[in-house]
Amino acid sequence: MNILSAIEKLFFPFYKSKNIRQVFSILNLRGEKAQAMFVGGCVRKYLLNEKIGDIDIATVLTPDEVIKKFENSDVAVKKTGIEHGTLTLVLKNQHFEITTLRKDVSTDGRHATVSFTDNWDEDSKRRDFTINAIYLNQKGNILDPQSGVSDLKNKKIKFIGDPNKRIKEDYLRILRYVRFFLNYSKVEHEENIIKIIKQNINGISKVSPDRLLDELRKIFLSNGFLKITKDKFCQEIITLVFPQLINLNILKNINDYSKNLIEKKDFIFLI
């Protein structure tokens, strides 16, 4: 992190933007107990000083309570995934995805039946990786029930709890593991993780093509994508899921100029 970035992060953190302050002033905080906190990618990227795109919010409020909170405001509420406790807040063309804290009741590798909870620890246990289970309140304070900050600092991609169970809950997590490993890991794959992923690879067939393609797009457009030619296991997984990408090795000796061109193109042209 350079000096200017450090100063910007210190004095102008994303959570102090005007839109975010307005949203949280409506959600409100009960004393020291947060009703809503940031979670997922925006927290991870904030901690790593990366550019923040999508903003996800977790809340103890039920969807009906959230809707009621914003009834008389200029924040629009869209019921984008209300059956799973997720709503989208829209303020001046900025979107915030807000989801009620949940715990899984049952899963089938593709869909999950959930129940709502007001327990942050329970909510963190159902998430995929420790680095995605870090919560940040509007004051910039961290809640880290799965020790994700430490793993992020040490460049480790760790499943929460039992990796086999996490993958069986949603087989898309195999591809998400590839994406996060390429982008953040500085250690070798654990032999146990390699074994578990290979044992579960056929479960990918339960995931809808749209979800698979969306995750592939995220992998292609991520900063770590071109590292795939140097990671035998990640490349193997990608080609098992997408056999049409068997020739990924053509990217092995790509120069910086070509890399910049690829990053500016729609990933679909690379397939």
Side-chain angles (χ1 to χ4, degrees), residues 34-47:
Q35 285 190 191
M37 288 195 278
F38 305 100
V39 70
C42 62
V43 179
R44 184 180 68 248
K45 291 178 180 180
Y46 166 70
L47 294 175

Side-chain angles (χ1 to χ4, degrees), residues 226 254-265:
L226 289 178
I254 194 169
N255 58 38
D256 289 339
Y257 175 74
S258 298
K259 177 182 177 181
N260 289 334
L261 287 179
I262 287 176
E263 290 174 347
K264 294 176 181 178
K265 300 298 182 184

Side-chain angles (χ1 to χ4, degrees), residues 31 43 99 102 107 112 120 134 142 153 161 227 258 263:
V43 179
T99 303
R102 301 174 291 182
T107 58
W120 295 91
I134 307 168
I142 290 287
K153 181 179 179 180
K227 294 179 183 177
S258 298
E263 290 174 347

Side-chain angles (χ1 to χ4, degrees), residues 19 22-23 26 70-77 90-93:
N19 284 353
Q22 181 174 340
V23 167
I26 296 171
F70 291 96
E71 272 182 350
N72 299 311
S73 73
D74 55 355
V75 178
V77 180
V90 185
L91 176 61
K92 298 176 182 176
N93 294 320

Side-chain angles (χ1 to χ4, degrees), residues 19-29 35-36 61 65-77 89 91 98 138:
N19 284 353
I20 288 176
R21 283 189 286 112
Q22 181 174 340
V23 167
F24 271 78
S25 70
I26 296 171
L27 288 170
N28 201 10
L29 298 175
Q35 285 190 191
L61 302 171
E65 289 174 326
V66 173
I67 291 170
K68 188 172 180 61
K69 285 268 189 183
F70 291 96
E71 272 182 350
N72 299 311
S73 73
D74 55 355
V75 178
V77 180
L89 309 177
L91 176 61
I98 182 166
Q138 194 192 8

